[in-house]
Amino acid sequence: RLAAAARALGVRHVFDTTFSADLTIMEESSEFVARMTHPQESKLPQFTSCCPGWVRFVRKEYPEMTDHLSTAKSPQQMFGAIAKSYYAQQLGKEPKDIFCVSVMPCTAKKYEAAIPQVSDAADRDVDVVLTTRELDRMLQAMQINVAALPEEDFDSPLGRGSGAGVIFGVTGGVMEAALRTAYWKLTGANPPADAFQEIRGQKPWREASFTIGQTKLRLAVVSGLASARQLMDTLRAGQADYDFVEVMACPGGCSGGGGQPIHDGQDLSADRGSHLYQLDAESPIRFSHENPTIQALYRDYLEAPLSEKAHHLLHTDQREWTL
């Protein structure tokens, strides 16, 4: 219905960012495996990098730890880059002929889209960012009753995502999705889809450890910048040791983002997050690397995760970000 609502507003092509969440997992998990297998050459722990509020926090408050951030762009920015390169070619269009609008639960995504160093396919890979609350207001202003609209499919080929991509929106979801694919990369086989559910929950700072093959991983998941500061101070003091750390600036993750609809006196981030896990459980594809549209993108255009083209379009150096 949301796809139908966007078309009712005049949008020509409607896609699901879950697709580019899967793409982010392919790049970020590949980077993590590379760091784990070459620890002498790499900075560990690896920090997730899909939350621009968190990335800016590291740059300003803990700049000496910037190199620990994954260089993978967020799903929003990866989508913009692919839309104005791979998809533009399929349409026979120039990047300048595509106006890319993202709808996000996050206000910091507006800042992220405006950072010059995250646009590589065009002057600006994502032209406009609307929060979910702003989209709701637009639909009301245009008197579009979403509940009365028919369900419509997303457009192809960038409209299909996996269950792993869906849980990106809840605290711990990025970590869990990345571990599913990292396990496959390290062992050649898929783990049980829910093998890493120990890291789920709403506690602001959670720890877990898992063994993949012969490799033992020490993990931390944090949501909310107050808890992130505690984590970073502990790491700075040498009082904790992790291999992989996920941080989301908003308590509960993106489902509790600053751009979400507000209900006075209610915090719905946990409820929204539980629905994402339900969608994951019901998804016919639960691993990012099994998404056929992702496989086709690498086969036909990007070649492989961490390839030269993938690095150009899908990665960024946060040390150079304009703050």
Side-chain angles (χ1 to χ4, degrees), residues 17 19-28 31 49-50 70-86 100 109 112 118 121 125-126 158 168 294 297-298 302 306 310 313-316:
T17 318
F19 163 83
S20 49
D22 282 336
L23 189 56
T24 299
I25 284 302
M26 295 301 293
E27 295 296 322
E28 188 167 7
E31 183 182 2
S49 56
C50 52
S70 166
T71 62
K73 293 180 182 179
S74 71
Q76 169 180 277
Q77 295 306 131
M78 285 197 183
F79 190 94
I82 293 301
K84 293 194 177 184
S85 57
Y86 171 71
C100 183
K109 289 293 178 183
E112 181 186 43
V118 298
D125 290 351
V126 177
L158 313 182
F168 241 72
I294 292 293
L297 177 62
Y298 280 107
L302 293 174
L306 306 183
L313 290 172
L314 307 180
H315 290 257
T316 182

Side-chain angles (χ1 to χ4, degrees), residues 143-164:
Q143 298 183 350
I144 296 172
N145 181 1
V146 179
L149 294 174
E151 293 189 2
E152 295 182 1
D153 287 335
F154 290 100
D155 284 294
S156 181
L158 313 182
R160 186 176 187 182
S162 73

Side-chain angles (χ1 to χ4, degrees), residues 227-257:
S227 297
R229 186 178 295 280
Q230 294 175 358
L231 167 82
M232 296 297 279
D233 287 344
T234 301
L235 289 173
R236 180 183 269 175
Q239 297 173 348
D241 188 18
Y242 302 115
D243 299 302
F244 197 9
V245 175
E246 179 203 300
V247 179
M248 293 189 180
C250 291
C254 306
S255 60

Side-chain angles (χ1 to χ4, degrees), residues 69-111:
L69 289 163
S70 166
T71 62
K73 293 180 182 179
S74 71
Q76 169 180 277
Q77 295 306 131
M78 285 197 183
F79 190 94
I82 293 301
K84 293 194 177 184
S85 57
Y86 171 71
Y87 190 57
Q89 289 184 14
Q90 292 204 339
L91 292 177
K93 300 286 186 180
E94 296 295 323
K96 64 180 177 60
D97 297 325
I98 295 176
F99 192 84
C100 183
V101 181
S102 72
V103 178
M104 292 285 141
C106 174
T107 54
K109 289 293 178 183
K110 295 174 180 285
Y111 152 75

Side-chain angles (χ1 to χ4, degrees), residues 40-297:
Q40 297 81 11
E41 307 167 19
S42 308
K43 295 276 190 177
L44 290 173
Q46 177 175 302
F47 297 152
T48 57
S49 56
C50 52
C51 172
W54 154 243
V55 172
R56 183 181 172 92
F57 177 78
V58 174
R59 276 290 315 277
K60 290 184 69 69
E61 303 291 333
Y62 302 89
E64 77 278 9
M65 302 187 81
T66 302
D67 286 346
H68 288 267
L69 289 163
S70 166
T71 62
K73 293 180 182 179
S74 71
Q76 169 180 277
Q77 295 306 131
M78 285 197 183
F79 190 94
I82 293 301
K84 293 194 177 184
S85 57
Y86 171 71
Y87 190 57
Q89 289 184 14
Q90 292 204 339
L91 292 177
K93 300 286 186 180
E94 296 295 323
K96 64 180 177 60
D97 297 325
I98 295 176
F99 192 84
C100 183
V101 181
S102 72
V103 178
M104 292 285 141
C106 174
T107 54
K109 289 293 178 183
K110 295 174 180 285
Y111 152 75
E112 181 186 43
I115 297 170
Q117 294 83 3
V118 298
S119 291
D120 293 293
D123 291 339
R124 185 156 166 162
D125 290 351
V126 177
D127 295 284
V128 167
V129 178
L130 297 175
T131 65
T132 51
R133 192 162 63 246
E134 288 172 330
L135 177 63
D136 181 48
R137 290 171 178 166
M138 289 178 65
L139 293 169
Q140 291 186 52
M142 297 297 291
Q143 298 183 350
I144 296 172
N145 181 1
V146 179
L149 294 174
E151 293 189 2
E152 295 182 1
D153 287 335
F154 290 100
D155 284 294
S156 181
L158 313 182
R160 186 176 187 182
S162 73
V166 168
I167 60 174
F168 241 72
V170 61
T171 173
V174 176
M175 172 81 71
E176 185 173 347
L179 290 175
R180 292 179 191 179
T181 292
Y183 186 103
W184 169 73
K185 287 180 176 292
L186 288 167
T187 69
N190 287 338
D194 297 312
F196 306 107
Q197 61 180 316
E198 184 183 336
I199 59 178
R200 298 177 187 178
Q202 292 293 310
K203 186 178 178 182
W205 181 352
R206 310 186 295 284
E207 297 177 326
S209 61
F210 300 100
T211 299
I212 300 178
Q214 302 299 313
T215 304
K216 184 174 181 178
L217 302 179
R218 299 149 298 175
L219 314 169
V221 174
V222 173
S223 72
L225 289 183
S227 297
R229 186 178 295 280
Q230 294 175 358
L231 167 82
M232 296 297 279
D233 287 344
T234 301
L235 289 173
R236 180 183 269 175
Q239 297 173 348
D241 188 18
Y242 302 115
D243 299 302
F244 197 9
V245 175
E246 179 203 300
V247 179
M248 293 189 180
C250 291
C254 306
S255 60
Q260 291 279 59
I262 295 171
H263 300 267
D264 289 343
Q266 294 182 330
D267 180 0
L268 298 177
S269 60
D271 289 340
R272 290 168 176 152
S274 68
H275 284 292
L276 298 183
Y277 285 122
Q278 182 179 346
L279 291 171
D280 169 39
E282 296 170 353
S283 175
I285 302 172
R286 301 193 66 191
F287 300 91
S288 298
H289 55 271
E290 291 189 345
N291 182 341
T293 58
I294 292 293
Q295 294 171 347
L297 177 62

